[in-house]
Amino acid sequence: MATVGIDHIAMPTADAEQLMAFYKSLGFAINDEAEWRAGTANIFSIQIGDSKINVHPEGHIADYRGPTAVPGCTDICFVWDGTVDECQKMLADAGVDIIRGPGPRKGARQRGVLPAVSLYARDPDNNLLEWMIYQ
């Protein structure tokens, strides 16, 4: 047996509405939004393929999270299934400023051997976001 992937990560947010709108503008699906709005769920999540990001709105104290987790503490690298130009357009269409890149990066695929390029941006909580484009 072996660990084969990441099911979810968690991140706190200072402004749940703003964060949700931001990730929706990038095309991400939001899980449990209706339940969160109805007050029957304490968190919602951002779906990414077969993984997700659990979002802990301010005031929500999770039993299982890093004791020093605060909004802006997350650094996430997404894999973009397309070209660099398409990724840049997606970010521009959503009004997201690219703060670095495109530039060559060493990603995780093939243990860092597969050539890649990435772009960096920030979300409303100032989390660092990266889009990895494998060549």
Side-chain angles (χ1 to χ4, degrees):
M1 290 193 207
T3 300
V4 296
I6 295 173
D7 184 82
H8 69 276
I9 61 171
M11 72 179 179
T13 182
D15 187 332
E17 292 290 348
Q18 186 178 24
L19 197 74
M20 190 181 300
F22 175 84
Y23 283 95
K24 282 176 150 182
S25 77
L26 296 173
F28 290 99
I30 305 298
N31 301 326
D32 303 320
E33 179 179 357
E35 294 85 348
W36 178 75
R37 291 188 183 289
T40 58
N42 292 327
I43 66 170
F44 58 89
S45 62
I46 303 161
Q47 191 69 38
I48 305 124
D50 288 331
S51 300
K52 66 180 181 170
I53 302 167
N54 287 342
V55 179
H56 298 187
E58 194 166 55
H60 169 71
I61 304 301
D63 292 335
Y64 303 111
R65 81 170 187 200
T68 59
V70 295
C73 68
T74 308
D75 179 344
I76 305 168
C77 182
F78 303 108
V79 176
W80 178 258
D81 186 22
T83 67
V84 171
D85 290 341
E86 291 166 337
C87 188
Q88 288 174 309
K89 181 179 183 331
M90 179 273 301
L91 293 169
D93 288 350
V96 176
D97 293 327
I98 295 169
I99 60 171
R100 185 174 178 187
R105 295 288 175 270
K106 188 174 183 177
R109 290 193 176 170
Q110 294 180 3
R111 301 186 117 187
V113 175
L114 190 63
V117 175
S118 74
L119 307 165
Y120 288 88
R122 294 208 179 263
D123 73 12
D125 281 321
N126 211 30
N127 293 300
L128 184 64
L129 308 178
E130 181 180 7
W131 279 264
M132 186 76 68
I133 302 107
Y134 286 96
Q135 308 295 294

